[in-house]
Amino acid sequence: MSVGDGTMTLMEALQSTLKNALIAEGVTRGLRESVKKLDKREALLCVLAESTDEKNIQKLVEALCREHKINLIKIDDAKKLGEWTGLCKIDKEGQARKVVRCSCAV
């Protein structure tokens, strides 16, 4: 994020949004819970990691988002999504340690 001109990339904005939603306890993490939220139409945004082992997971989440007209953003790394949604330990220096993979977050 640039301090001078105030511009952000999409991934920086997504990271900031997930951080704010995590503070307000508005993030559902993991495939099972995310699919429940998507099916009940309780989600406004879905973030899907493309590095999942099972391709049927991607097809399921994409189909639910398309059917219920929920915005979908894909990111490349499941560990990055896990870090952004708080599935990690933060050490004394503020660095993420022991990051758990997250395939989907709503």
Side-chain angles (χ1 to χ4, degrees), residues 14 17-18 38 42-47 65 70-73 105-106:
L14 178 61
T17 301
L18 286 173
L38 290 171
E42 294 177 355
L44 299 174
L45 173 69
C46 180
V47 184
C65 288
I70 296 170
N71 295 325
L72 174 67
I73 296 177
V106 174

Side-chain angles (χ1 to χ4, degrees), residues 2 16 22 26 48 53 60 69 86:
S2 298
S16 175
L22 187 63
L48 178 65
D53 299 331
L60 172 67
K69 295 178 178 62

Side-chain angles (χ1 to χ4, degrees), residues 3 8 17 24-25 27 33-34 37 44 50 52 54-55 58 61 69 71 78 90-91 95:
V3 177
M8 300 180 125
T17 301
E25 296 182 11
V27 177
E33 296 300 317
S34 295
K37 292 280 188 183
L44 299 174
E50 291 183 323
T52 56
E54 188 69 37
K55 295 301 174 192
Q58 289 182 347
V61 172
K69 295 178 178 62
N71 295 325
I90 305 295
D91 64 8
Q95 299 296 320

Side-chain angles (χ1 to χ4, degrees), residues 5-6 8-9 18 26 29 42-43 51 61 65 68 70 79 87 92 94 98 105:
D5 58 1
M8 300 180 125
T9 65
L18 286 173
R29 301 168 288 208
E42 294 177 355
S51 64
V61 172
C65 288
H68 300 309
I70 296 170
K79 283 204 173 222
L87 295 175
K92 292 178 183 177
K98 296 183 181 180

Side-chain angles (χ1 to χ4, degrees), residues 1 14 17 25 30 49 55 57 59 62 80 82-83 89 94:
M1 182 165 114
L14 178 61
T17 301
E25 296 182 11
K55 295 301 174 192
I57 291 173
K59 289 179 183 179
E62 288 173 0
K80 190 185 304 181
E83 181 181 343
K89 300 281 184 186

